[in-house]
Amino acid sequence: MPEPSAAEPELLAAAQRDDQDAFGHLITPYRAQLYAYCYRMLGSTHDAEDAVQDAFVKAWKGIAGFEGRASFKGWLYRIATNVCLDQIRRRPRRILTDDYGPPAAPDVESTGPVTEPIWLEPCPDDLLALDPAAGYELRESVELAFLVALQHLPANQRAVLILREVLAFSAAEVAATLDTSVASVNSALQRARATMREQPKSQRAELAELGDAGQRELLAAFIEALQRSDVDAMVALLAEDVRFTMPPMPFWFDGRADVLGFLTGVVLKESWRRIPVRCNGQLAFAAYLDRGEGHRLMAVDVLTVRDGRIAAITAFPNASVLGVFNLPTAFADLAPAQTSAYGRSG
């Protein structure tokens, strides 16, 4: 959590005198953390960006009336929380494809994407302020499984859990943020914890067991197996109950046989290039597809690991979603260092 700078009182006073530049400097230290908070609340990078911008507009409009009874940080989080709660009331919760319907056969005929804003969206680690030194709670709280589970919580429980467990707000600070009592906060936290307790082992823990070298080896081996269309290698790397989902497409595949059937019958019949990326605190790669105009960015695939094997592949092929990764749209425009290890054709 960002701490207020020594200049914050002066910047606050200037902003309250209608100094927009001072307000900009005042909110800058909180922008990234507010974005990550809103992303956890909403499960969408686009909704999170809208929420942060809306919160800052409301803060600017209300800055003259800020009386300092709470910290400026707490005041910003209160505004952002209310913006998120309003969005949650207006929109359905975000899900992944295996929450949408039953699994499909590998030869499923596509009915086209579901374009309504119902899908959980991925987010690159750098936008979530995740670095190797990030705390366990910060890393675990942006993993796909955790975000999906959050979406099943009532909105107030979701806010309480994130503020208390992830961002380390006190019960009193959360009560002030949500305009409720400490007793209500503690009760909501207990209910949220009971629901989240059923979650599988975190990716943070799974990846820690692999170690840095093991993570690199697993990702490189899977990319190489895809590039070579090496089914035997993929069998060794995929868990027997692996799942393959790709929102906004409404179908998904359950089990190694069906996942391999889709990969070999559809995906691997085309020309791809792939490079590692980091997304939601998990292993991932960007996939570039050539359909006659050179290899163009088509998807980001996020891998879920269990016991050293790949237990889930979540592919995100939505062009608007991919924009947050700030990747070149053409494989040829990538730096040589990005393509040398994993860019060979299959």
Side-chain angles (χ1 to χ4, degrees), residues 273-275 288 295-297 328-334 339 342-343:
R273 303 286 188 273
R274 299 172 177 89
I275 62 164
Y288 288 76
H295 288 87
R296 315 292 293 183
L297 182 62
T329 57
F331 185 83
D333 294 335
L334 288 160
T339 63
Y342 308 111

Side-chain angles (χ1 to χ4, degrees), residues 1 34 37 41 69-85 155-156 158-164 167-182 185:
M1 289 295 296
L34 279 173
Y37 170 62
M41 285 287 290
R69 287 195 291 263
S71 68
F72 179 72
K73 176 189 76 174
W75 185 66
L76 281 181
Y77 270 89
R78 178 172 185 165
I79 295 171
T81 298
N82 286 330
V83 170
C84 288
L85 294 178
N156 272 25
R158 198 182 309 177
V160 167
L161 185 73
I162 297 169
L163 291 169
R164 288 284 285 123
L167 302 181
F169 277 53
S170 69
E173 288 174 319
V174 177
T177 299
L178 296 176
D179 195 20
T180 188
S181 66
V182 169
V185 166

Side-chain angles (χ1 to χ4, degrees), residues 299-316:
V300 165
D301 288 24
V302 183
L303 307 182
T304 298
V305 176
R306 187 181 68 240
D307 298 330
R309 286 188 166 189
I310 296 166
I313 307 165
T314 308
F316 294 95

Side-chain angles (χ1 to χ4, degrees), residues 178-201:
L178 296 176
D179 195 20
T180 188
S181 66
V182 169
S184 294
V185 166
N186 290 334
S187 176
L189 181 60
Q190 287 181 347
R191 294 195 298 273
R193 282 173 172 168
T195 300
M196 301 297 286
R197 199 172 291 132
E198 301 174 3
Q199 291 308 298
K201 187 176 179 181

Side-chain angles (χ1 to χ4, degrees), residues 67-203:
E67 297 177 351
R69 287 195 291 263
S71 68
F72 179 72
K73 176 189 76 174
W75 185 66
L76 281 181
Y77 270 89
R78 178 172 185 165
I79 295 171
T81 298
N82 286 330
V83 170
C84 288
L85 294 178
D86 286 343
Q87 283 205 26
I88 291 168
R89 281 190 283 267
R90 294 196 306 266
R91 299 184 181 181
R93 64 183 175 88
R94 298 277 179 164
I95 61 174
L96 291 176
T97 324
D98 50 359
D99 236 357
Y100 186 79
D107 59 353
V108 62
E109 291 188 16
S110 174
T111 56
V114 175
T115 56
E116 289 85 357
I118 62 171
W119 304 115
L120 191 75
E121 294 177 356
C123 191
D125 284 6
D126 57 354
L127 288 185
L128 296 169
L130 289 184
D131 57 46
Y136 287 164
E137 294 82 1
L138 288 176
R139 299 195 70 81
E140 291 181 354
S141 67
V142 294
E143 294 173 3
L144 294 182
F146 187 90
L147 291 170
V148 168
L150 279 177
Q151 296 289 303
H152 286 272
L153 293 176
N156 272 25
Q157 287 185 32
R158 198 182 309 177
V160 167
L161 185 73
I162 297 169
L163 291 169
R164 288 284 285 123
E165 300 281 85
V166 179
L167 302 181
F169 277 53
S170 69
E173 288 174 319
V174 177
T177 299
L178 296 176
D179 195 20
T180 188
S181 66
V182 169
S184 294
V185 166
N186 290 334
S187 176
L189 181 60
Q190 287 181 347
R191 294 195 298 273
R193 282 173 172 168
T195 300
M196 301 297 286
R197 199 172 291 132
E198 301 174 3
Q199 291 308 298
K201 187 176 179 181
S202 73
Q203 285 302 284

